[in-house]
Amino acid sequence: MIEKLEKLNSIAISELYKTSDINAINLWHTKHLGKKSHLMAYLRNLGQLPAQDRPKVGKLANEIRYKLENAYDEHKNTLVSQPTTTNKNSIDITLPGRPINRGRLHITNIVLRKIYSIWADMGFQIYKSREIETDELNFELLNIPKHHPARDMWDTFHTNTPGVILRTHTSPGQIHAMRTYCPNPIRVILPGMCFRYEQITARSEIQFNQVEGLAIGTNIRFSDLKGTLSTFAQRIFNKNTKTRFRASHFPFTEPSAEMDVECFLCSGKGCGVCKNTGWLEILGCGMVHPTVLSNGGYDPNKHTGFAFGMGPERIAMLKYGIDDIRYFWGNDLRFLEQF
Ligand code: FA5
């Protein structure tokens, strides 16, 4: 009897460690410790044994039962906490998760959104204008006649259709906006892509964004232009940003100017980035030329206005210390992921 019990024990133990999933271990339990198991039969039938054998056999059967229950619990816990690696299809929930690549805004869009919100605070609406333009709107109605040398400022991509070009600046949007709102006052910004057939360098791309601004009303003066643009510079960079206006020339504004901000790197002392001038140009601007006002439908004797055009990529370069505009279109994640 003792021998039979010990054999039963060793068979049960060896079968237990062969089980590798929960179903198998549950079946094992029913077979070796369930009501109909051999071990339970021995315990139930103890009374039929000779009196002198009962204590010894009963003690051993109970010890085996106790050991098997413990071994069962322990092995079951191991199976639950450590999924088997022998099964190729199983998922190892203990492995660390794979990082998810999240999309993000492009640096130009981050700066554009900041620019929109500053102008929105100052009461400027967004007016979207088209990227494919006519020569008439891109040049002629902006006071740049055919063959005029001023066209050299904007090297142009032409299409196969005569007179249809890719816009070289957002300024033709001024005419569209004026013709939409005339004779009412206007306060709009016109953002969008521009195209120039020029040499790509660290500061110049053939495809870039501009944000045009246009304010038309009665009694608008150059001092309004200066105050508005200086406030913009202080909001986009910081409140201590110094600005200066340099006389310039654009055929569609009179007088015309370019606005510089004090160089961030050298604080105006002069360095390689600002070409030792202490200043960096961020936009062109001026009072809307009377001819352009008339082309837009406004009476230049009653109405005045100012306009400006800035480059968001150039602003982003200054704001974030980016030394080459080519990164913006390079699609290099090491660059894009920094913002
Ligand atoms: C113009 O395009 C005028 N239409 C701006 C203007 C509007 C003047 C209204 C007066 C009134 P300009 O060519 O300087 O001007 O361009 C304006 C801005 O666009 C520049 O200051 C610069 O920030 C950006 N920009 C111009 N060319 C490029 C280029 N190739 N790559 C990147 N940014 C450019």
Tab-separated table of all heavy atoms in Angstrom, residues 142 153-154 168-172 174 194-196 198-201 203-214 248-253 255-259 281-288 306-315 317 325, ligand 1:
chain	number	residue	atom	x	y	z
A	142	LEU	N	-0.290	96.067	-59.766
A	142	LEU	CA	0.523	96.512	-58.622
A	142	LEU	C	1.553	97.546	-59.089
A	142	LEU	O	2.597	97.720	-58.453
A	142	LEU	CB	1.224	95.315	-57.962
A	142	LEU	CG	0.296	94.335	-57.239
A	142	LEU	CD1	1.074	93.119	-56.756
A	142	LEU	CD2	-0.400	94.997	-56.057
A	153	MET	N	13.075	92.134	-59.505
A	153	MET	CA	13.054	91.797	-58.077
A	153	MET	C	12.365	90.454	-57.837
A	153	MET	O	12.525	89.841	-56.801
A	153	MET	CB	12.299	92.877	-57.278
A	153	MET	CG	13.035	94.202	-57.150
A	153	MET	SD	11.901	95.529	-56.683
A	153	MET	CE	11.762	95.280	-54.930
A	154	TRP	N	11.530	90.033	-58.771
A	154	TRP	CA	10.748	88.806	-58.580
A	154	TRP	C	10.891	87.891	-59.794
A	154	TRP	O	10.092	87.942	-60.728
A	154	TRP	CB	9.271	89.150	-58.368
A	154	TRP	CG	9.039	89.947	-57.116
A	154	TRP	CD1	8.975	89.461	-55.846
A	154	TRP	CD2	8.847	91.362	-57.020
A	154	TRP	NE1	8.756	90.484	-54.963
A	154	TRP	CE2	8.674	91.663	-55.648
A	154	TRP	CE3	8.801	92.418	-57.934
A	154	TRP	CZ2	8.463	92.955	-55.187
A	154	TRP	CZ3	8.583	93.693	-57.479
A	154	TRP	CH2	8.430	93.952	-56.116
A	168	THR	N	4.625	85.389	-57.318
A	168	THR	CA	5.966	85.585	-56.771
A	168	THR	C	5.907	86.201	-55.371
A	168	THR	O	6.918	86.260	-54.677
A	168	THR	CB	6.786	86.515	-57.678
A	168	THR	OG1	6.064	87.743	-57.806
A	168	THR	CG2	7.003	85.906	-59.048
A	169	HIS	N	4.742	86.708	-55.022
A	169	HIS	CA	4.529	87.276	-53.685
A	169	HIS	C	3.033	87.261	-53.377
A	169	HIS	O	2.228	86.974	-54.285
A	169	HIS	CB	5.124	88.694	-53.568
A	169	HIS	CG	4.699	89.651	-54.647
A	169	HIS	ND1	4.992	90.983	-54.639
A	169	HIS	CD2	3.973	89.470	-55.790
A	169	HIS	CE1	4.494	91.577	-55.708
A	169	HIS	NE2	3.878	90.674	-56.418
A	170	THR	N	2.667	87.548	-52.146
A	170	THR	CA	1.238	87.521	-51.793
A	170	THR	C	0.554	88.848	-52.117
A	170	THR	O	-0.662	88.962	-51.949
A	170	THR	CB	1.061	87.186	-50.294
A	170	THR	OG1	2.073	87.856	-49.544
A	170	THR	CG2	1.136	85.699	-50.042
A	171	SER	N	1.309	89.824	-52.642
A	171	SER	CA	0.731	91.155	-52.881
A	171	SER	C	-0.444	91.188	-53.869
A	171	SER	O	-1.331	92.032	-53.705
A	171	SER	CB	1.829	92.126	-53.323
A	171	SER	OG	2.773	92.253	-52.290
A	172	PRO	N	-0.522	90.290	-54.900
A	172	PRO	CA	-1.725	90.354	-55.755
A	172	PRO	C	-3.013	90.139	-54.957
A	172	PRO	O	-4.084	90.613	-55.362
A	172	PRO	CB	-1.519	89.229	-56.773
A	172	PRO	CG	-0.367	88.415	-56.288
A	172	PRO	CD	0.443	89.296	-55.418
A	174	GLN	N	-3.795	91.672	-52.452
A	174	GLN	CA	-4.287	93.014	-52.076
A	174	GLN	C	-5.402	93.447	-53.023
A	174	GLN	O	-6.425	93.982	-52.595
A	174	GLN	CB	-3.158	94.041	-52.182
A	174	GLN	CG	-2.094	93.947	-51.115
A	174	GLN	CD	-1.127	95.131	-51.232
A	174	GLN	OE1	-1.494	96.221	-51.657
A	174	GLN	NE2	0.123	94.902	-50.859
A	194	CYS	N	4.519	81.240	-51.975
A	194	CYS	CA	5.012	82.036	-53.111
A	194	CYS	C	6.135	81.261	-53.803
A	194	CYS	O	6.755	80.380	-53.191
A	194	CYS	CB	5.574	83.370	-52.631
A	194	CYS	SG	4.377	84.319	-51.711
A	195	PHE	N	6.412	81.620	-55.044
A	195	PHE	CA	7.375	80.855	-55.849
A	195	PHE	C	8.285	81.830	-56.596
A	195	PHE	O	7.793	82.756	-57.246
A	195	PHE	CB	6.630	79.971	-56.852
A	195	PHE	CG	5.528	79.162	-56.215
A	195	PHE	CD1	4.254	79.721	-56.028
A	195	PHE	CD2	5.762	77.878	-55.762
A	195	PHE	CE1	3.235	78.998	-55.415
A	195	PHE	CE2	4.741	77.140	-55.155
A	195	PHE	CZ	3.479	77.704	-54.982
A	196	ARG	N	9.582	81.606	-56.492
A	196	ARG	CA	10.513	82.475	-57.231
A	196	ARG	C	11.595	81.638	-57.886
A	196	ARG	O	12.176	80.760	-57.219
A	196	ARG	CB	11.150	83.520	-56.308
A	196	ARG	CG	10.155	84.558	-55.871
A	196	ARG	CD	10.791	85.706	-55.156
A	196	ARG	NE	9.754	86.463	-54.457
A	196	ARG	CZ	9.977	87.453	-53.626
A	196	ARG	NH1	11.215	87.832	-53.380
A	196	ARG	NH2	8.982	88.076	-53.051
A	198	GLU	N	14.734	81.466	-58.400
A	198	GLU	CA	16.009	82.067	-58.001
A	198	GLU	C	16.919	81.021	-57.368
A	198	GLU	O	16.499	79.894	-57.073
A	198	GLU	CB	15.789	83.258	-57.060
A	198	GLU	CG	15.029	82.951	-55.798
A	198	GLU	CD	14.772	84.208	-54.950
A	198	GLU	OE1	14.349	85.244	-55.494
A	198	GLU	OE2	14.990	84.128	-53.738
A	199	GLN	N	18.153	81.396	-57.166
A	199	GLN	CA	19.156	80.490	-56.608
A	199	GLN	C	18.771	80.097	-55.175
A	199	GLN	O	18.455	80.963	-54.357
A	199	GLN	CB	20.496	81.242	-56.612
A	199	GLN	CG	21.659	80.484	-56.051
A	199	GLN	CD	22.058	79.337	-56.972
A	199	GLN	OE1	22.133	79.496	-58.183
A	199	GLN	NE2	22.297	78.185	-56.389
A	200	ILE	N	18.776	78.783	-54.872
A	200	ILE	CA	18.499	78.365	-53.491
A	200	ILE	C	19.767	78.584	-52.664
A	200	ILE	O	20.858	78.161	-53.048
A	200	ILE	CB	18.079	76.883	-53.437
A	200	ILE	CG1	16.774	76.693	-54.203
A	200	ILE	CG2	17.932	76.406	-51.999
A	200	ILE	CD1	16.310	75.260	-54.292
A	201	THR	N	19.605	79.267	-51.538
A	201	THR	CA	20.742	79.508	-50.643
A	201	THR	C	20.282	79.249	-49.208
A	201	THR	O	19.128	78.866	-48.988
A	201	THR	CB	21.229	80.978	-50.728
A	201	THR	OG1	20.185	81.801	-50.197
A	201	THR	CG2	21.545	81.399	-52.150
A	203	ARG	N	19.436	81.347	-47.143
A	203	ARG	CA	18.377	82.292	-46.760
A	203	ARG	C	17.208	82.340	-47.741
A	203	ARG	O	16.180	82.942	-47.461
A	203	ARG	CB	18.961	83.708	-46.642
A	203	ARG	CG	19.761	83.930	-45.365
A	203	ARG	CD	20.346	85.324	-45.332
A	203	ARG	NE	19.361	86.375	-45.476
A	203	ARG	CZ	18.559	86.786	-44.500
A	203	ARG	NH1	18.631	86.232	-43.317
A	203	ARG	NH2	17.687	87.752	-44.711
A	204	SER	N	17.382	81.723	-48.919
A	204	SER	CA	16.357	81.853	-49.960
A	204	SER	C	15.977	80.508	-50.548
A	204	SER	O	16.838	79.722	-50.920
A	204	SER	CB	16.882	82.737	-51.098
A	204	SER	OG	17.167	84.009	-50.618
A	205	GLU	N	14.667	80.280	-50.635
A	205	GLU	CA	14.122	79.073	-51.267
A	205	GLU	C	13.374	79.481	-52.528
A	205	GLU	O	13.029	80.656	-52.691
A	205	GLU	CB	13.141	78.383	-50.302
A	205	GLU	CG	13.750	77.266	-49.493
A	205	GLU	CD	14.104	76.044	-50.334
A	205	GLU	OE1	13.811	76.033	-51.543
A	205	GLU	OE2	14.696	75.101	-49.774
A	206	ILE	N	13.089	78.484	-53.397
A	206	ILE	CA	12.277	78.828	-54.571
A	206	ILE	C	10.784	78.777	-54.224
A	206	ILE	O	9.960	79.282	-54.951
A	206	ILE	CB	12.576	77.895	-55.772
A	206	ILE	CG1	12.402	76.426	-55.383
A	206	ILE	CG2	13.949	78.150	-56.334
A	206	ILE	CD1	12.457	75.499	-56.575
A	207	GLN	N	10.468	78.149	-53.086
A	207	GLN	CA	9.078	78.040	-52.640
A	207	GLN	C	9.066	78.387	-51.159
A	207	GLN	O	9.770	77.752	-50.377
A	207	GLN	CB	8.613	76.611	-52.867
A	207	GLN	CG	7.212	76.367	-52.437
A	207	GLN	CD	6.738	74.966	-52.820
A	207	GLN	OE1	7.429	74.237	-53.512
A	207	GLN	NE2	5.571	74.606	-52.364
A	208	PHE	N	8.306	79.375	-50.770
A	208	PHE	CA	8.324	79.826	-49.374
A	208	PHE	C	6.985	80.490	-49.052
A	208	PHE	O	6.206	80.794	-49.965
A	208	PHE	CB	9.480	80.817	-49.148
A	208	PHE	CG	9.432	81.986	-50.088
A	208	PHE	CD1	8.816	83.183	-49.722
A	208	PHE	CD2	9.964	81.891	-51.360
A	208	PHE	CE1	8.749	84.256	-50.609
A	208	PHE	CE2	9.892	82.957	-52.253
A	208	PHE	CZ	9.282	84.134	-51.875
A	209	ASN	N	6.719	80.711	-47.788
A	209	ASN	CA	5.474	81.380	-47.387
A	209	ASN	C	5.684	82.877	-47.227
A	209	ASN	O	6.797	83.328	-46.927
A	209	ASN	CB	4.997	80.819	-46.052
A	209	ASN	CG	4.359	79.471	-46.194
A	209	ASN	OD1	3.191	79.380	-46.542
A	209	ASN	ND2	5.122	78.418	-45.964
A	210	GLN	N	4.610	83.600	-47.430
A	210	GLN	CA	4.593	85.011	-47.046
A	210	GLN	C	3.285	85.275	-46.308
A	210	GLN	O	2.302	84.552	-46.507
A	210	GLN	CB	4.635	85.926	-48.279
A	210	GLN	CG	6.028	86.187	-48.806
A	210	GLN	CD	6.059	87.291	-49.853
A	210	GLN	OE1	5.032	87.727	-50.363
A	210	GLN	NE2	7.262	87.745	-50.182
A	211	VAL	N	3.302	86.277	-45.441
A	211	VAL	CA	2.045	86.768	-44.874
A	211	VAL	C	1.976	88.254	-45.229
A	211	VAL	O	2.788	89.052	-44.779
A	211	VAL	CB	1.972	86.566	-43.343
A	211	VAL	CG1	0.662	87.155	-42.804
A	211	VAL	CG2	2.048	85.089	-42.985
A	212	GLU	N	1.021	88.554	-46.106
A	212	GLU	CA	0.787	89.929	-46.530
A	212	GLU	C	-0.175	90.562	-45.523
A	212	GLU	O	-0.992	89.860	-44.915
A	212	GLU	CB	0.113	89.877	-47.913
A	212	GLU	CG	-0.048	91.190	-48.597
A	212	GLU	CD	1.163	91.488	-49.474
A	212	GLU	OE1	2.072	90.640	-49.568
A	212	GLU	OE2	1.187	92.583	-50.057
A	213	GLY	N	-0.101	91.849	-45.345
A	213	GLY	CA	-1.072	92.545	-44.503
A	213	GLY	C	-1.582	93.755	-45.257
A	213	GLY	O	-0.846	94.367	-46.043
A	214	LEU	N	-2.861	94.081	-45.056
A	214	LEU	CA	-3.432	95.236	-45.757
A	214	LEU	C	-4.446	95.908	-44.846
A	214	LEU	O	-5.353	95.250	-44.315
A	214	LEU	CB	-4.121	94.761	-47.052
A	214	LEU	CG	-4.818	95.838	-47.877
A	214	LEU	CD1	-3.794	96.798	-48.513
A	214	LEU	CD2	-5.682	95.205	-48.976
A	248	SER	N	13.006	102.147	-48.498
A	248	SER	CA	13.231	101.133	-49.526
A	248	SER	C	12.379	101.488	-50.744
A	248	SER	O	11.813	102.591	-50.815
A	248	SER	CB	12.861	99.756	-48.958
A	248	SER	OG	13.127	98.748	-49.896
A	249	HIS	N	12.259	100.529	-51.679
A	249	HIS	CA	11.409	100.817	-52.827
A	249	HIS	C	10.595	99.594	-53.220
A	249	HIS	O	11.142	98.509	-53.433
A	249	HIS	CB	12.248	101.253	-54.039
A	249	HIS	CG	11.417	101.338	-55.273
A	249	HIS	ND1	10.490	102.340	-55.474
A	249	HIS	CD2	11.321	100.521	-56.344
A	249	HIS	CE1	9.870	102.142	-56.616
A	249	HIS	NE2	10.358	101.034	-57.182
A	250	PHE	N	9.281	99.752	-53.264
A	250	PHE	CA	8.388	98.768	-53.891
A	250	PHE	C	7.460	99.579	-54.786
A	250	PHE	O	6.946	100.619	-54.352
A	250	PHE	CB	7.550	98.009	-52.844
A	250	PHE	CG	8.379	97.174	-51.907
A	250	PHE	CD1	8.653	97.616	-50.616
A	250	PHE	CD2	8.897	95.949	-52.310
A	250	PHE	CE1	9.423	96.857	-49.749
A	250	PHE	CE2	9.667	95.187	-51.449
A	250	PHE	CZ	9.933	95.640	-50.178
A	251	PRO	N	7.205	99.134	-56.038
A	251	PRO	CA	6.389	99.940	-56.953
A	251	PRO	C	4.957	100.128	-56.462
A	251	PRO	O	4.288	101.074	-56.877
A	251	PRO	CB	6.401	99.112	-58.255
A	251	PRO	CG	7.575	98.200	-58.134
A	251	PRO	CD	7.747	97.935	-56.675
A	252	PHE	N	4.483	99.226	-55.563
A	252	PHE	CA	3.074	99.288	-55.143
A	252	PHE	C	2.874	100.020	-53.821
A	252	PHE	O	1.759	100.063	-53.301
A	252	PHE	CB	2.479	97.869	-55.072
A	252	PHE	CG	3.471	96.815	-54.632
A	252	PHE	CD1	3.651	96.521	-53.286
A	252	PHE	CD2	4.236	96.160	-55.580
A	252	PHE	CE1	4.559	95.563	-52.892
A	252	PHE	CE2	5.165	95.200	-55.191
A	252	PHE	CZ	5.340	94.901	-53.850
A	253	THR	N	3.942	100.563	-53.242
A	253	THR	CA	3.794	101.364	-52.023
A	253	THR	C	4.612	102.647	-52.163
A	253	THR	O	5.652	102.671	-52.816
A	253	THR	CB	4.276	100.599	-50.767
A	253	THR	OG1	5.528	99.980	-51.053
A	253	THR	CG2	3.280	99.565	-50.304
A	255	PRO	N	5.323	106.103	-49.401
A	255	PRO	CA	6.703	105.650	-49.355
A	255	PRO	C	6.794	104.156	-48.988
A	255	PRO	O	5.849	103.585	-48.458
A	255	PRO	CB	7.316	106.524	-48.253
A	255	PRO	CG	6.168	106.835	-47.350
A	255	PRO	CD	4.972	106.925	-48.235
A	256	SER	N	7.965	103.592	-49.249
A	256	SER	CA	8.190	102.178	-48.943
A	256	SER	C	9.306	102.044	-47.904
A	256	SER	O	10.158	102.936	-47.797
A	256	SER	CB	8.631	101.415	-50.196
A	256	SER	OG	7.689	101.565	-51.229
A	257	ALA	N	9.286	100.934	-47.177
A	257	ALA	CA	10.327	100.727	-46.149
A	257	ALA	C	10.549	99.234	-45.948
A	257	ALA	O	9.758	98.408	-46.404
A	257	ALA	CB	9.892	101.369	-44.830
A	258	GLU	N	11.640	98.931	-45.270
A	258	GLU	CA	11.854	97.574	-44.784
A	258	GLU	C	12.028	97.670	-43.280
A	258	GLU	O	12.642	98.633	-42.791
A	258	GLU	CB	13.073	96.934	-45.442
A	258	GLU	CG	12.723	96.429	-46.841
A	258	GLU	CD	13.919	95.879	-47.599
A	258	GLU	OE1	15.022	96.423	-47.469
A	258	GLU	OE2	13.714	94.911	-48.325
A	259	MET	N	11.454	96.709	-42.569
A	259	MET	CA	11.586	96.751	-41.107
A	259	MET	C	12.652	95.747	-40.671
A	259	MET	O	12.628	94.590	-41.078
A	259	MET	CB	10.274	96.422	-40.415
A	259	MET	CG	10.366	96.593	-38.892
A	259	MET	SD	8.788	96.369	-38.067
A	259	MET	CE	8.813	94.631	-37.749
A	281	GLU	N	16.624	92.052	-41.340
A	281	GLU	CA	15.391	92.459	-42.018
A	281	GLU	C	14.325	91.378	-41.884
A	281	GLU	O	14.620	90.199	-42.054
A	281	GLU	CB	15.705	92.678	-43.505
A	281	GLU	CG	14.503	93.061	-44.326
A	281	GLU	CD	14.446	92.316	-45.648
A	281	GLU	OE1	15.475	92.253	-46.338
A	281	GLU	OE2	13.376	91.778	-45.961
A	282	ILE	N	13.089	91.759	-41.531
A	282	ILE	CA	12.043	90.717	-41.493
A	282	ILE	C	10.882	90.981	-42.450
A	282	ILE	O	10.126	90.064	-42.735
A	282	ILE	CB	11.509	90.425	-40.070
A	282	ILE	CG1	10.754	91.603	-39.477
A	282	ILE	CG2	12.593	89.926	-39.152
A	282	ILE	CD1	9.842	91.141	-38.329
A	283	LEU	N	10.714	92.211	-42.923
A	283	LEU	CA	9.580	92.427	-43.840
A	283	LEU	C	9.742	93.694	-44.673
A	283	LEU	O	10.533	94.571	-44.351
A	283	LEU	CB	8.256	92.478	-43.061
A	283	LEU	CG	8.097	93.473	-41.912
A	283	LEU	CD1	7.699	94.860	-42.405
A	283	LEU	CD2	7.047	92.969	-40.958
A	284	GLY	N	8.944	93.728	-45.771
A	284	GLY	CA	8.833	94.933	-46.594
A	284	GLY	C	7.468	95.545	-46.344
A	284	GLY	O	6.507	94.830	-46.055
A	285	CYS	N	7.365	96.889	-46.450
A	285	CYS	CA	6.090	97.526	-46.143
A	285	CYS	C	6.001	98.911	-46.784
A	285	CYS	O	6.971	99.380	-47.395
A	285	CYS	CB	5.918	97.660	-44.630
A	285	CYS	SG	7.247	98.614	-43.842
A	286	GLY	N	4.863	99.568	-46.621
A	286	GLY	CA	4.726	100.929	-47.119
A	286	GLY	C	3.271	101.345	-47.161
A	286	GLY	O	2.369	100.562	-46.848
A	287	MET	N	3.060	102.610	-47.583
A	287	MET	CA	1.693	103.114	-47.750
A	287	MET	C	1.221	102.710	-49.149
A	287	MET	O	1.967	102.864	-50.133
A	287	MET	CB	1.671	104.646	-47.610
A	287	MET	CG	2.152	105.149	-46.267
A	287	MET	SD	1.259	104.437	-44.869
A	287	MET	CE	-0.346	105.202	-45.020
A	288	VAL	N	0.005	102.172	-49.243
A	288	VAL	CA	-0.486	101.655	-50.532
A	288	VAL	C	-0.454	102.786	-51.571
A	288	VAL	O	-0.939	103.905	-51.326
A	288	VAL	CB	-1.915	101.091	-50.392
A	288	VAL	CG1	-2.387	100.511	-51.722
A	288	VAL	CG2	-1.965	100.032	-49.307
A	306	PHE	N	-2.083	101.040	-45.473
A	306	PHE	CA	-0.715	100.505	-45.471
A	306	PHE	C	-0.732	99.024	-45.791
A	306	PHE	O	-1.774	98.354	-45.662
A	306	PHE	CB	0.019	100.801	-44.149
A	306	PHE	CG	-0.533	100.135	-42.912
A	306	PHE	CD1	-0.353	98.770	-42.676
A	306	PHE	CD2	-1.194	100.888	-41.937
A	306	PHE	CE1	-0.833	98.162	-41.526
A	306	PHE	CE2	-1.690	100.278	-40.782
A	306	PHE	CZ	-1.508	98.921	-40.575
A	307	ALA	N	0.413	98.542	-46.254
A	307	ALA	CA	0.540	97.111	-46.592
A	307	ALA	C	1.924	96.651	-46.173
A	307	ALA	O	2.854	97.453	-46.039
A	307	ALA	CB	0.349	96.906	-48.092
A	308	PHE	N	2.029	95.355	-45.937
A	308	PHE	CA	3.345	94.792	-45.595
A	308	PHE	C	3.389	93.340	-46.053
A	308	PHE	O	2.341	92.719	-46.312
A	308	PHE	CB	3.612	94.891	-44.079
A	308	PHE	CG	2.550	94.241	-43.231
A	308	PHE	CD1	2.591	92.882	-42.949
A	308	PHE	CD2	1.495	94.993	-42.707
A	308	PHE	CE1	1.610	92.286	-42.173
A	308	PHE	CE2	0.499	94.391	-41.928
A	308	PHE	CZ	0.565	93.036	-41.657
A	309	GLY	N	4.600	92.801	-46.192
A	309	GLY	CA	4.753	91.387	-46.562
A	309	GLY	C	5.945	90.813	-45.814
A	309	GLY	O	7.057	91.344	-45.893
A	310	MET	N	5.674	89.737	-45.050
A	310	MET	CA	6.758	89.151	-44.230
A	310	MET	C	6.944	87.679	-44.591
A	310	MET	O	6.039	87.047	-45.153
A	310	MET	CB	6.434	89.280	-42.745
A	310	MET	CG	5.162	88.575	-42.343
A	310	MET	SD	4.780	88.790	-40.606
A	310	MET	CE	4.210	90.448	-40.537
A	311	GLY	N	8.115	87.145	-44.260
A	311	GLY	CA	8.406	85.735	-44.541
A	311	GLY	C	8.416	84.924	-43.251
A	311	GLY	O	9.338	85.056	-42.444
A	312	PRO	N	7.416	84.059	-43.049
A	312	PRO	CA	7.354	83.278	-41.803
A	312	PRO	C	8.574	82.377	-41.589
A	312	PRO	O	8.999	82.179	-40.449
A	312	PRO	CB	6.097	82.422	-41.951
A	312	PRO	CG	5.366	82.963	-43.106
A	312	PRO	CD	6.270	83.807	-43.919
A	313	GLU	N	9.129	81.836	-42.695
A	313	GLU	CA	10.319	80.971	-42.521
A	313	GLU	C	11.485	81.804	-41.970
A	313	GLU	O	12.200	81.361	-41.071
A	313	GLU	CB	10.729	80.317	-43.842
A	313	GLU	CG	9.872	79.126	-44.239
A	313	GLU	CD	8.700	79.511	-45.121
A	313	GLU	OE1	8.553	80.733	-45.407
A	313	GLU	OE2	7.925	78.625	-45.533
A	314	ARG	N	11.638	83.022	-42.499
A	314	ARG	CA	12.736	83.884	-42.001
A	314	ARG	C	12.487	84.247	-40.530
A	314	ARG	O	13.425	84.302	-39.734
A	314	ARG	CB	12.814	85.167	-42.833
A	314	ARG	CG	13.223	84.930	-44.281
A	314	ARG	CD	14.692	85.282	-44.522
A	314	ARG	NE	15.055	85.008	-45.898
A	314	ARG	CZ	15.043	85.910	-46.866
A	314	ARG	NH1	14.686	87.173	-46.606
A	314	ARG	NH2	15.396	85.591	-48.090
A	315	ILE	N	11.227	84.473	-40.177
A	315	ILE	CA	10.907	84.793	-38.773
A	315	ILE	C	11.222	83.579	-37.891
A	315	ILE	O	11.815	83.708	-36.816
A	315	ILE	CB	9.429	85.229	-38.638
A	315	ILE	CG1	9.261	86.599	-39.300
A	315	ILE	CG2	8.987	85.276	-37.175
A	315	ILE	CD1	7.866	87.149	-39.316
A	317	MET	N	13.416	81.308	-38.487
A	317	MET	CA	14.880	81.168	-38.397
A	317	MET	C	15.436	82.050	-37.279
A	317	MET	O	16.286	81.641	-36.496
A	317	MET	CB	15.526	81.538	-39.737
A	317	MET	CG	15.289	80.499	-40.821
A	317	MET	SD	15.797	81.065	-42.447
A	317	MET	CE	17.564	80.799	-42.358
A	325	ILE	N	17.649	77.859	-44.368
A	325	ILE	CA	16.222	77.722	-44.726
A	325	ILE	C	15.934	76.388	-45.405
A	325	ILE	O	14.802	75.910	-45.421
A	325	ILE	CB	15.784	78.908	-45.630
A	325	ILE	CG1	14.268	79.085	-45.607
A	325	ILE	CG2	16.265	78.735	-47.056
A	325	ILE	CD1	13.774	80.366	-46.246
B	1	FA5	C1	7.827	91.419	-51.353
B	1	FA5	O1	7.608	90.288	-51.799
B	1	FA5	C2	6.724	92.441	-51.252
B	1	FA5	N1	5.562	91.942	-51.923
B	1	FA5	C3	6.477	92.745	-49.791
B	1	FA5	C4	5.595	93.944	-49.601
B	1	FA5	C5	4.249	93.755	-49.410
B	1	FA5	C6	6.135	95.210	-49.596
B	1	FA5	C7	3.419	94.864	-49.241
B	1	FA5	C8	5.326	96.315	-49.427
B	1	FA5	C9	3.969	96.133	-49.223
B	1	FA5	P1	10.280	90.879	-50.660
B	1	FA5	O2	10.687	90.339	-51.961
B	1	FA5	O3	11.278	91.668	-49.914
B	1	FA5	O4	9.007	91.797	-50.783
B	1	FA5	O5	9.760	89.685	-49.745
B	1	FA5	C10	9.156	89.903	-48.498
B	1	FA5	C11	9.630	88.857	-47.474
B	1	FA5	O6	9.440	87.546	-48.008
B	1	FA5	C12	11.124	88.977	-47.196
B	1	FA5	O7	11.365	89.918	-46.178
B	1	FA5	C13	11.461	87.565	-46.744
B	1	FA5	O8	11.117	87.408	-45.389
B	1	FA5	C14	10.504	86.716	-47.568
B	1	FA5	N2	11.215	86.167	-48.740
B	1	FA5	C15	11.452	86.773	-49.918
B	1	FA5	N3	12.108	85.966	-50.763
B	1	FA5	C16	12.284	84.796	-50.112
B	1	FA5	C17	12.886	83.536	-50.463
B	1	FA5	N4	13.410	83.310	-51.664
B	1	FA5	N5	12.899	82.545	-49.530
B	1	FA5	C18	12.333	82.767	-48.318
B	1	FA5	N6	11.737	83.906	-47.936
B	1	FA5	C19	11.709	84.924	-48.810
